[in-house]
Amino acid sequence: MTTKRTMVAGREAWERFGDGLLAVGLFVLGLAAYTQTLAPSVVALFDDSLEFPLVSFRLGIAHPTGYPLYTLLGKLFTLAFPNDVAWAVNLLSAVAGALTVALVFLVIRQLAKRRLPALLGAIALGVSPVFWSQSVVAEVYTLNGAFIAAMLLVALRWARRPLVPVQPFSLLLVPPGEVRASLLDGEGG
């Protein structure tokens, strides 16, 4: 009897936390794989892999559009690893690539309703030659992919379970003195 309860509890825990555990596992495995093949320094002269470490270290402005978020995150990585600026910014791309793989798993899981297709799709993205090549050098594409996957995940979750129905400009209909009270009471919609 106790064994059956344990099995039921284990199955419930897997159903509840399995997706998160698999996403974390994909992130860790992806990061481990990318760091093993991470470019140790600048890959090529007159390329973004030279420009982004320099711009991140000096907090300069890269070529248009400037990539301000990548630059600021790159600066954080250069502060964390000050001995090798190029490697630190390359590591940022590896972290963003691993995060993208984990988020793509969660997006496909929302669409497919099963874990195996989501796992295979995320792994296929992670080991694809083009994605891998961008995950081991200083480039903005993996960070962009992480944002796209995160926005898709948020949109899919919101489509299944909307947070609160909102009427556009509904706060304009409330007299100015009551705006704060209605927001505090949760009656903003």
Side-chain angles (χ1 to χ4, degrees):
M1 192 70 168
T2 307
T3 307
K4 189 170 186 175
R5 282 186 197 162
T6 305
M7 289 178 57
V8 169
R11 183 167 292 158
E12 289 174 359
W14 177 248
E15 287 302 317
R16 188 168 189 194
F17 302 113
D19 290 342
L21 289 173
L22 286 173
V24 169
L26 283 170
F27 174 81
V28 169
L29 288 175
L31 186 60
Y34 296 147
T35 54
Q36 288 297 313
T37 58
L38 194 66
S41 184
V42 175
V43 175
L45 295 177
F46 309 110
D47 191 13
D48 290 349
S49 69
L50 171 67
E51 182 180 15
F52 286 127
L54 175 66
V55 167
S56 295
F57 181 72
R58 302 287 309 257
L59 283 180
I61 300 174
H63 61 278
T65 61
Y67 310 102
L69 182 62
Y70 190 87
T71 301
L72 291 174
L73 290 174
K75 181 63 176 180
L76 290 176
F77 274 74
T78 61
L79 292 173
F81 304 100
N83 294 335
D84 195 348
V85 172
W87 183 85
V89 179
N90 291 343
L91 182 63
L92 168 61
S93 291
V95 169
L99 180 63
T100 302
V101 171
L103 289 171
V104 164
F105 165 76
L106 294 173
V107 167
I108 298 173
R109 178 71 168 104
Q110 289 284 313
L111 295 171
K113 301 288 188 203
R114 292 189 343 208
R115 288 190 174 112
L116 185 60
L119 193 61
L120 293 176
I123 290 172
L125 171 70
V127 299
S128 66
V130 173
F131 189 79
W132 192 296
S133 71
Q134 299 305 305
S135 296
V136 296
V137 298
E139 273 293 352
V140 296
Y141 302 116
T142 55
L143 183 62
N144 184 41
F147 275 115
I148 290 171
M151 292 304 295
L152 281 171
L153 182 62
V154 168
L156 287 169
R157 289 200 174 165
W158 181 78
R160 284 183 170 61
R161 188 178 45 222
L163 299 175
V164 176
V166 177
Q167 297 174 358
F169 307 108
S170 61
L171 287 178
L172 295 177
L173 303 175
V174 179
E178 297 176 17
V179 170
R180 181 177 171 152
S182 68
L183 288 175
L184 292 175
D185 293 338
E187 299 175 5

